[in-house]
Amino acid sequence: MSVLLKNGLVVTSTGSAVADVFMDGETIKAVGSGLPMKADETVDASGKYILPGAIDPHTHIDMPFMGTTSSDDWKTGSIAAACGGTTCIIDFNLQGKGESLKDAVEKQKAKAAGKSVVDFSIHPGVTDARPDVIDEVKKAIHEYGTPSFKIFLFYDFRVDDYAMIRLLEETKTHGGLVQVHAESFDIIRRLNEQFAATGKLGPMQHARAHAILAEEQAIQRCAAAVELTGSRIYIVHLSSGQGLWKVREARDRGLHVYAETCPQYLTLTEERYDEPDWNGAKYVMSPPLRPRESQDEMWLGLRDGDVQTVGTDHCPFNFKGQKDMNGKADYKVIPNGAPGIETMLMLLHTEGVVKGRISLERMVDVLSTGTARMFGLANKGAIAPGKDADVVVFDPKRKFTITQKKLHMNVDYTPWEGWEMTGMPEIVYSRGKKVAEWSGDQVKFVGSAGAGKFVKRVPLAAY
Ligand code: URP
Ligand code: ZN
Ligand code: ZN
């Protein structure tokens, strides 16, 4: 099957031009104006953007967590991704105690197999940094095709700085990347104790306990570990302006400290925790939503390059039945996480590009091209000959009001209910096959379960 997209604005991370794109089978074969190829299907893309499919480097699909399991499985989660213009997902799977990294990768691959409608990869989450696990890092990079490793400095499965340092050493040697949930456990622990003593335990106290200081201090520790090892680190879900300043300070000193932020930190603020009827529980996530100033800083970070990627941290729990499963008396037992896998591209376009906070080209870089480069997805992330035909024909004028009823995630709310979007996917291709298209008043899924495959990623560039 071949497809010719005619006269769309082809957007790359470095520039845009009106051109045709010819896709044959699973691959982009040619990009240029007036391409002469005959195709099985020709699409008039004039007035539309031709974007590389977004890559979501931060999801928690079908993940056991805080006494429950995130509500999207690989079928519903990947369908939602496709309908939002995301054509590759890199999901986390945490190593259990005593398990190998291979176990963590294979378990999640097995869950995704036969279900995922778009391509996917896995970041093994290191929770048990035994010497044999440190030794396994080389194999994970060169054999398993998973060169990035997630660690947490918060939660029960956190690791200590020694483990972080050892992982940084190994990834430096073999071409990998350590990703960190950067919140200081001890600061949050002490604030939790203080709030418990006051008896104030509503959703807003979650944001107070997960103080900005906890993010700053953890990033400082990450930067010190990078300085010690000469390695590189990637801060996931950066939420605060002050945290960004720590990232920037480290980068200004020449340290390889990278950062990802999420649509929720770019668009929502901490006032949400005070919504009536315990609605604030919908936004209980770690790190929490921050004051408005942090949001502005995060857009500046994205624009100026100190933040290199956007991921969703998609970790959905139903408001009824999961968020409230342990009662409403204490924020500490509310499952942490929120849905977002479907709304990333539309929010970045509407809130970022349309509002003039980032350019179209920068949007493509932080959602696709830069993400592919960061995580070793050699065949993805750009509209260029030889790349996988993961392509979004995007209508920049299409209006859509976000409502959970018209989204595909298996969860009972969206944090952006009622938000007006400008710009939506018109057609989404995953390795040359149409997986989603605009129909009537929403995007509909037209692909097939199991068509997505595990992508082996390549080691990252040597130092
Ligand atoms: O609250 C969150 N972010 N839940 C998912 C797990 C994590 O910390 O990324
Ligand atoms: Zn996290
Ligand atoms: Zn996460």
Side-chain angles (χ1 to χ4, degrees):
M1 170 81 179
S2 57
V3 181
L4 181 62
L5 307 174
K6 294 284 298 172
N7 295 316
L9 186 74
V10 175
V11 187
T12 76
S13 60
T14 51
S16 307
V18 173
D20 304 341
V21 176
F22 178 67
M23 319 190 276
D24 195 9
E26 301 191 342
T27 312
I28 297 173
K29 288 286 165 60
V31 180
S33 57
L35 290 182
M37 291 87 170
K38 293 272 168 287
D40 299 321
E41 193 177 305
T42 300
V43 174
D44 176 10
S46 39
K48 311 287 192 303
Y49 299 159
I50 301 180
L51 310 176
I55 298 167
D56 191 341
H58 190 150
T59 65
H60 302 274
I61 293 179
D62 202 351
M63 182 177 84
F65 189 47
M66 294 185 78
T68 183
T69 299
S70 58
S71 59
D72 265 317
D73 71 4
W74 276 92
K75 185 167 175 205
T76 57
S78 64
I79 286 175
C83 291
T86 291
T87 51
C88 186
I89 299 167
I90 320 181
D91 194 75
F92 294 107
N93 203 28
L94 305 189
Q95 167 209 27
K97 287 279 172 228
E99 281 182 1
S100 64
L101 299 179
K102 178 112 179 138
D103 292 332
V105 171
E106 292 303 324
K107 276 188 184 170
Q108 198 66 339
K109 272 166 82 172
K111 279 191 187 176
K115 285 189 171 176
S116 190
V117 308
V118 294
D119 289 350
F120 61 94
S121 181
I122 314 293
H123 312 281
V126 181
T127 63
D128 184 8
R130 308 180 306 267
D132 59 297
V133 171
I134 300 293
D135 284 347
E136 201 189 354
V137 162
K138 180 179 177 186
K139 274 198 194 161
I141 295 171
H142 290 281
E143 292 175 28
Y144 314 161
T146 56
S148 45
F149 305 85
K150 171 81 173 285
I151 57 170
F152 296 81
L153 303 182
F154 182 68
Y155 299 125
D156 294 347
F157 41 82
R158 67 192 173 279
V159 299
D160 59 18
D161 287 15
Y162 179 81
M164 172 160 65
I165 290 165
R166 289 293 293 116
L167 282 166
L168 285 169
E169 289 169 347
E170 285 304 290
T171 49
K172 179 183 179 190
T173 305
H174 301 293
L177 179 67
V178 176
Q179 302 160 276
V180 190
H181 175 129
E183 285 191 298
S184 161
F185 176 80
D186 287 318
I187 290 177
I188 297 167
R189 177 185 172 190
R190 184 64 194 131
L191 289 170
N192 278 339
E193 287 171 356
Q194 290 173 357
F195 294 139
T198 68
K200 280 180 76 182
L201 296 170
M204 181 58 99
Q205 297 312 112
H206 169 79
R208 298 282 172 258
H210 286 249
I212 285 176
L213 197 58
E215 185 169 74
E216 281 183 273
Q217 192 258 19
I219 293 172
Q220 189 91 48
R221 279 161 56 199
C222 294
V226 170
E227 184 158 10
L228 179 73
T229 57
S231 191
R232 59 181 148 201
I233 214 159
Y234 174 98
I235 310 295
V236 300
H237 53 40
L238 183 71
S239 64
S240 67
Q242 290 89 330
L244 173 59
W245 300 340
K246 290 287 175 206
V247 168
R248 199 174 275 140
E249 193 179 292
R251 291 171 61 77
D252 285 349
R253 291 173 52 228
L255 301 176
H256 297 279
V257 176
Y258 305 119
E260 157 204 283
T261 191
C262 311
Q264 51 272 33
Y265 305 120
L266 291 163
T267 60
L268 307 175
T269 52
E270 63 178 6
E271 288 75 25
R272 293 264 174 153
Y273 293 111
D274 276 336
E275 284 182 5
D277 303 322
W278 202 66
N279 225 35
K282 290 178 177 172
Y283 319 104
V284 167
M285 60 183 81
S286 296
L289 302 176
R290 302 299 191 187
R292 173 68 203 226
E293 306 82 66
S294 280
Q295 199 184 95
D296 296 339
E297 288 289 333
M298 225 46 71
W299 281 111
L300 290 176
L302 261 192
R303 194 181 69 186
D304 69 20
D306 283 325
V307 178
Q308 294 79 28
T309 61
V310 173
T312 63
D313 196 7
H314 177 71
C315 190
F317 298 106
N318 287 303
F319 184 55
K320 290 204 167 51
Q322 288 189 291
K323 285 283 185 183
D324 60 359
M325 67 183 195
N326 298 313
K328 298 181 176 178
D330 185 351
Y331 66 86
K332 291 191 289 301
V333 296
I334 303 171
N336 283 206
I341 200 167
E342 192 164 357
T343 40
M344 178 166 76
L345 171 60
M346 61 183 93
L347 283 166
L348 262 280
H349 183 260
T350 303
E351 295 296 313
V353 178
V354 175
K355 294 194 173 168
R357 289 156 157 160
I358 54 170
S359 67
L360 194 52
E361 290 76 15
R362 185 73 191 137
M363 180 186 83
V364 161
D365 201 48
V366 300
L367 292 183
S368 303
T369 314
T371 316
R373 192 171 51 235
M374 183 74 76
F375 290 105
L377 285 162
N379 295 330
K380 300 205 180 280
I383 302 294
K387 295 283 182 190
D388 285 352
D390 288 358
V391 175
V392 179
V393 178
F394 187 86
D395 183 344
K397 298 213 166 79
R398 174 78 70 194
K399 299 283 182 190
F400 176 67
T401 306
I402 295 181
T403 177
Q404 184 50 31
K405 286 189 206 71
K406 290 187 183 161
L407 298 176
H408 301 79
M409 298 173 285
N410 181 38
V411 65
D412 59 5
Y413 75 98
T414 163
W416 294 277
E417 185 71 37
W419 284 43
E420 302 289 343
M421 297 291 102
T422 302
M424 287 295 287
E426 183 83 13
I427 312 176
V428 182
Y429 298 93
S430 168
R431 269 184 293 102
K433 287 217 172 63
K434 202 186 277 186
V435 286
E437 68 186 338
W438 183 267
S439 168
D441 59 357
Q442 67 185 110
V443 180
K444 294 221 167 114
F445 174 63
V446 296
S448 47
K453 42 175 211 200
F454 174 74
V455 184
K456 267 192 153 187
R457 292 183 282 131
V458 299
L460 309 178
Y463 287 86

